[in-house]
Amino acid sequence: MSPWQVSADLLALTRWLGEPERDLVILSEGNTSEQVGDAIVVKASGSSMRTATPDDFVTVDVDPLVALLRDPAATQDDLTRALTAGEAEGRPVRASVESLVHAAVRAVAPMRFVAHTHPTDAVALLASRQAATAFAEPVYTDELLILGRPLFVPYAQPGIELGRLFLASLEIHVAEHGEPPSLVLLGNHGIVALSQTTEGAEAVSLMAVKSARVRLGARAAGGVAPLGADATAHYFERPDFAERRAHLAGTE
């Protein structure tokens, strides 16, 4: 519990994502983190993003959490002990159970900010029978620019089970594409935005919501017509595309 390590940027991002009109989270849903050296400052379990204060964050070292992920003998109880920071007003204070997701990101790439939310329209698609392929192909240019190549991770119980699957999926994605995704889609769960800037984390989160709404609307209008591989094949090779993507999505 080290509130002095909670930056103004992380606090502003957390509150911004928690505003009700954005429909990204309700109650104590969601969590955010910022990398600080070899540690991450991550939202505590059970706290609200909308009303977050520096006291609602916990600092945890990344390496021990990654070691838990890679240890087949580690249990959920081991994780609970690792996330417990102490007590406040007679109750235990713990980093979010989804801290393993945040640690897994840093195990493969030094992304400064990670934002995990549960947008209604995105979760609707991720809870559908087409969840694994719903975002597989871009349907409009700005989506491709901001979201890049999203990664889909099937449902796993939050905690050590999800953390292990998340890390394995991230490592495969980075090996295949040479970079981490800007957006991770969690089946029957929510989304994770990865960015070097708060503005990028916000942009990825909002574009994911718009993309979900576009798909739901297209389905109602007769079906989704993706851009197709031929139309998007060379986007990632264009310097102007990479420059705009770095600026808007915070990829560098």
Side-chain angles (χ1 to χ4, degrees):
M1 298 166 62
S2 48
W4 59 89
Q5 289 190 297
V6 181
S7 71
D9 287 341
L10 177 61
L11 193 59
L13 170 65
T14 305
R15 290 175 174 173
W16 189 93
L17 294 169
E19 287 298 327
E21 65 269 19
R22 296 191 174 93
D23 191 30
L24 293 168
V25 294
I26 62 171
L27 303 175
S28 62
E29 284 184 341
N31 33 78
T32 54
S33 71
E34 180 179 7
Q35 183 164 3
V36 179
D38 294 329
I40 52 174
V41 180
V42 62
K43 188 179 80 70
S45 179
S47 59
S48 167
M49 292 177 70
R50 182 173 66 88
T51 60
T53 71
D55 291 329
D56 292 316
F57 291 83
V58 173
T59 302
V60 293
D61 291 329
V62 171
D63 289 347
L65 292 184
V66 174
L68 274 178
L69 289 177
R70 300 195 189 281
D71 180 2
T75 67
Q76 188 65 33
D77 288 340
D78 294 327
L79 174 61
T80 298
R81 285 190 290 271
L83 297 180
T84 301
E87 287 193 1
E89 299 180 354
R91 64 178 181 85
V93 177
R94 296 188 183 97
S96 169
V97 70
E98 290 163 341
S99 294
L100 287 181
V101 166
H102 297 261
V105 170
R106 278 59 181 229
V108 299
M111 302 302 292
R112 183 179 173 190
F113 294 102
V114 173
H116 168 46
T117 57
H118 302 170
T120 302
D121 291 310
V123 174
L125 279 176
L126 295 172
S128 73
R129 296 185 184 278
Q130 292 79 40
T133 58
F135 290 81
E137 295 183 272
V139 297
Y140 59 101
T141 304
D142 280 352
E143 173 190 52
L144 182 64
L145 179 70
I146 303 300
L147 302 185
R149 304 178 181 94
L151 167 64
F152 175 77
V153 177
Y155 181 80
Q157 190 174 105
I160 202 160
E161 182 181 330
L162 173 59
R164 285 171 173 156
L165 180 59
F166 192 95
L167 176 59
S169 300
L170 270 181
E171 289 177 331
I172 292 171
H173 182 97
V174 171
E176 182 177 345
H177 299 293
E179 62 179 10
S182 294
L183 174 68
V184 182
L185 305 153
L186 304 177
N188 296 86
H189 189 155
I191 66 172
V192 184
L194 286 61
S195 182
Q196 300 291 13
T197 66
T198 58
E199 294 84 0
E202 293 168 2
V204 171
S205 300
L206 290 184
M207 191 63 76
V209 173
K210 178 178 178 178
S211 295
R213 291 174 179 167
V214 167
R215 284 164 171 77
L216 291 170
R219 288 183 178 187
V224 177
L227 293 177
D230 290 342
T232 63
H234 301 293
Y235 266 106
F236 289 94
E237 301 171 12
R238 287 173 45 174
D240 63 323
F241 182 86
E243 182 180 353
R244 288 187 63 211
R245 182 161 153 66
H247 173 67
L248 295 172
T251 56
E252 295 179 357

